[in-house]
Amino acid sequence: MAAPLTLILILAVTIRAALYRSNLADLIAERVEVVSPLTAWKRVVEGLALLDLGVSPYSGDVFHETPLIIYLFHFVVDYAEITFMLADVITAVALYTAVKDYNKQVFKRQKFALEANRYPLDCLELIRTPKEMYYIPLKVATFYLLNPFTILSCVAKSTCALNNAVIALFFLSTIKGNVLLSAIFLAVATYQSIYPLSLCAPAMLYFMQRQYIPVNFRRASFWWFLTQYAFIYLGSLSVIVGLSFFLLGSWDYLHSVYGFILSVPDLTPNIGLFWYFFAEMFEHFRLFFLFVFQINVFFYTVPLSIKLKDHPVFLMFMQLAVISIFKSYPTVGDVALYLAFIPVWSHLHRFLRNIFLVACVLLACSALFPVLWHLWIYAGSANSNFYYAITLLFNVAQILLVSDYFYAFLRREHHLSYGLYLKKKDGSEATLVLK
């Protein structure tokens, strides 16, 4: 498997290197679907220029990345292209390794369940085989590296690529069972953009499942592990925040980074839901609706964690999708990260209801983004309503995609417990309904 992965890595790096040297690089770097006010490379360059002049990069309203990012590029700015390509390679290899280990665990649990006769006889066709699982890690790496969204983010030098690398390392550490590294990488991801905080739930559920700790509020072992993970996570986050203060000598970055993410002052169009809504919003309603919009990312964590407490990896996939849809400044790089997990759930395809329609809508929206932008900004024959309509459709398609996988996952689990061919009391075929 190492040889095909190496070929994919070489191909991915070659495509990126060729695009860096083409005339398209500058055009891609300006696309609002690919970069945001948070992740745009030109803003990082502006911040570096201010830093070199001895001025705080947060003194204006241009730079909104974290201090560690700007100090990282302070040393490697001449090798920025290599840095972003390396970030994509690290993400792909981390996902490949993590999924490979996860599949081994799934197969082992499945084997024990078969030996214990836990599955009804008529659902044996739903059992996953080693042959079909063998190429899944390679497919995941391919889906990430050769996804046009990922390529565009890398060529635009969007710092979203670095965020994805940190989340991929967090995922790998979690699957490997390393509590310390998992909490540290999650702290770094939270430090970068706040929203990965919601990944705490699936990580802790996974570790408790791995260590046979029951999710029971009356058990001391449950609270002891919760305290341990929270202590490492909060301790790591405090150290990173303190290090940022030490580098800058002020707390200005807190408002410029986290205040910017939460208050959404820059309404530059993007593929998210915030910009148009708040551009049309009466000012005295703004605070209330900011709270309503921002809480979406975290609101679904509790019900999803309750429903999927025995399936933390699928919960992590759901949370990544929710973050990419409901965050304040999303880009296509965020979408690419959770789409890379699609091959992991290839066994659910027989239960998906709208996958063809959703795939067509996502492809059509991706093609229409630049068209409607050109009609609005350059040709003047359209307005912001046209662009926001395609943005809204894109997000609705993502929601349908995620909910379809959620339905398919729950349906398969139900069949594994009660049988594939369900009958009503009168002998007719039963229909499952997701409630």
Side-chain angles (χ1 to χ4, degrees):
M1 189 65 78
L5 178 62
T6 304
L7 289 173
I8 294 295
L9 291 173
I10 292 171
L11 176 61
V13 170
T14 304
I15 292 171
R16 286 159 172 76
L19 285 172
Y20 275 132
R21 296 292 172 266
S22 72
N23 296 327
L24 294 173
D26 292 336
L27 176 64
I28 294 170
E30 296 293 328
R31 294 303 313 169
V32 293
E33 302 87 7
V34 181
V35 297
S36 72
L38 277 171
T39 62
W41 175 247
K42 65 179 181 181
R43 292 182 179 242
V44 175
V45 173
E46 188 75 23
L48 287 170
L50 291 172
L51 191 66
D52 289 338
L53 292 171
V55 180
S56 170
Y58 302 102
S59 57
D61 192 34
V62 175
F63 183 71
H64 301 287
E65 261 294 356
T66 54
L68 292 187
I69 289 291
I70 195 166
Y71 276 95
L72 167 68
F73 284 111
H74 186 69
F75 296 105
V76 299
V77 66
D78 294 332
Y79 308 99
E81 296 174 0
I82 296 173
T83 303
F84 283 104
M85 287 193 285
L86 186 60
D88 276 359
V89 169
I90 289 170
T91 306
V93 173
L95 292 177
Y96 172 88
T97 309
V99 170
K100 192 174 182 180
D101 278 20
Y102 171 67
N103 280 347
K104 288 178 182 177
Q105 295 169 23
V106 169
F107 186 72
K108 191 181 295 184
R109 285 198 301 269
Q110 185 178 265
K111 184 180 178 182
F112 288 152
L114 281 170
E115 291 173 352
N117 294 320
R118 294 178 186 170
Y119 297 139
L121 292 176
D122 65 345
C123 72
L124 293 180
E125 62 186 88
L126 299 180
I127 303 302
R128 304 178 70 186
T129 63
K131 184 179 179 181
E132 73 177 70
M133 296 170 73
Y134 182 75
Y135 289 103
I136 287 176
L138 184 63
K139 289 178 182 177
V140 169
T142 306
F143 262 56
Y144 185 78
L145 286 172
L146 300 184
N147 188 329
F149 289 166
T150 315
I151 295 171
L152 291 173
S153 291
C154 183
V155 174
K157 291 184 276 195
S158 167
T159 54
C160 177
L162 303 179
N163 299 344
N164 287 352
V166 173
I167 292 174
L169 291 171
F170 152 73
F171 180 63
L172 175 61
S173 305
T174 304
I175 296 297
K176 289 285 188 181
N178 193 318
V179 177
L180 178 63
L181 284 180
S182 171
I184 290 173
F185 282 122
L186 183 58
V188 175
T190 307
Y191 164 80
Q192 280 297 109
S193 63
I194 300 178
Y195 299 112
L197 171 64
S198 62
L199 297 175
C200 267
M204 288 190 287
L205 286 170
Y206 180 85
F207 284 121
M208 285 189 279
Q209 185 185 79
R210 188 183 177 98
Q211 298 176 20
Y212 304 103
I213 299 172
V215 182
N216 189 330
F217 295 118
R218 298 179 181 178
R219 293 290 188 95
S221 57
F222 170 81
W223 289 107
W224 174 240
F225 177 79
L226 211 66
T227 305
Q228 276 184 311
Y229 195 87
F231 178 78
I232 298 171
Y233 169 72
L234 293 174
S236 303
L237 191 58
S238 300
V239 169
I240 298 167
V241 170
L243 178 60
S244 299
F245 173 76
F246 175 76
L247 290 172
L248 280 176
S250 75
W251 295 106
D252 292 347
Y253 76 94
L254 291 177
H255 180 265
S256 293
V257 179
Y258 308 118
F260 186 82
I261 292 171
L262 295 174
S263 62
V264 201
D266 191 321
L267 300 178
T268 302
N270 54 56
I271 63 168
L273 300 169
F274 282 70
W275 67 273
Y276 184 86
F277 193 85
F278 286 98
E280 303 294 327
M281 175 72 62
F282 288 114
E283 194 61 33
H284 54 282
F285 290 126
R286 182 181 173 84
L287 184 61
F288 171 74
F289 280 101
L290 265 177
F291 180 79
V292 171
F293 270 59
Q294 293 288 6
I295 205 173
N296 264 299
V297 173
F298 307 101
F299 178 78
Y300 300 106
T301 304
V302 174
L304 285 174
S305 298
I306 293 171
K307 189 66 178 177
L308 298 170
K309 63 184 175 66
D310 296 325
H311 310 284
V313 175
F314 188 77
L315 173 60
M316 202 174 295
F317 162 72
M318 293 291 294
Q319 284 299 129
L320 286 172
V322 168
I323 290 171
S324 73
I325 295 169
F326 292 110
K327 68 188 297 188
S328 52
Y329 292 105
T331 63
V332 292
D334 300 299
V335 180
L337 181 61
Y338 83 82
L339 287 182
F341 286 87
I342 294 295
V344 180
W345 320 117
S346 57
H347 57 288
L348 303 177
H349 285 173
R350 66 180 292 171
F351 299 120
L352 296 174
R353 300 166 295 178
N354 306 310
I355 187 65
F356 178 74
L357 174 64
V358 170
C360 290
V361 171
L362 288 173
L363 288 172
C365 290
S366 301
L368 286 172
F369 274 131
V371 174
L372 293 179
W373 178 263
H374 178 82
L375 291 176
W376 173 25
I377 301 299
Y378 298 104
S381 56
N383 56 36
S384 60
N385 295 324
F386 287 73
Y387 191 78
Y388 186 67
I390 207 69
T391 298
L392 198 59
L393 185 59
F394 184 73
N395 283 286
V396 168
Q398 288 187 82
I399 292 169
L400 286 175
L401 176 69
V402 174
S403 59
D404 208 12
Y405 270 95
F406 185 52
Y407 165 81
F409 186 87
L410 294 180
R411 181 171 175 179
R412 180 177 180 272
E413 291 301 314
H414 188 276
H415 284 313
L416 288 175
S417 299
Y418 299 103
L420 185 58
Y421 304 103
L422 303 176
K423 301 290 183 182
K424 295 181 181 178
K425 290 181 180 179
D426 60 2
S428 59
E429 187 178 349
T431 303
L432 286 179
V433 179
L434 180 63
K435 291 186 178 180

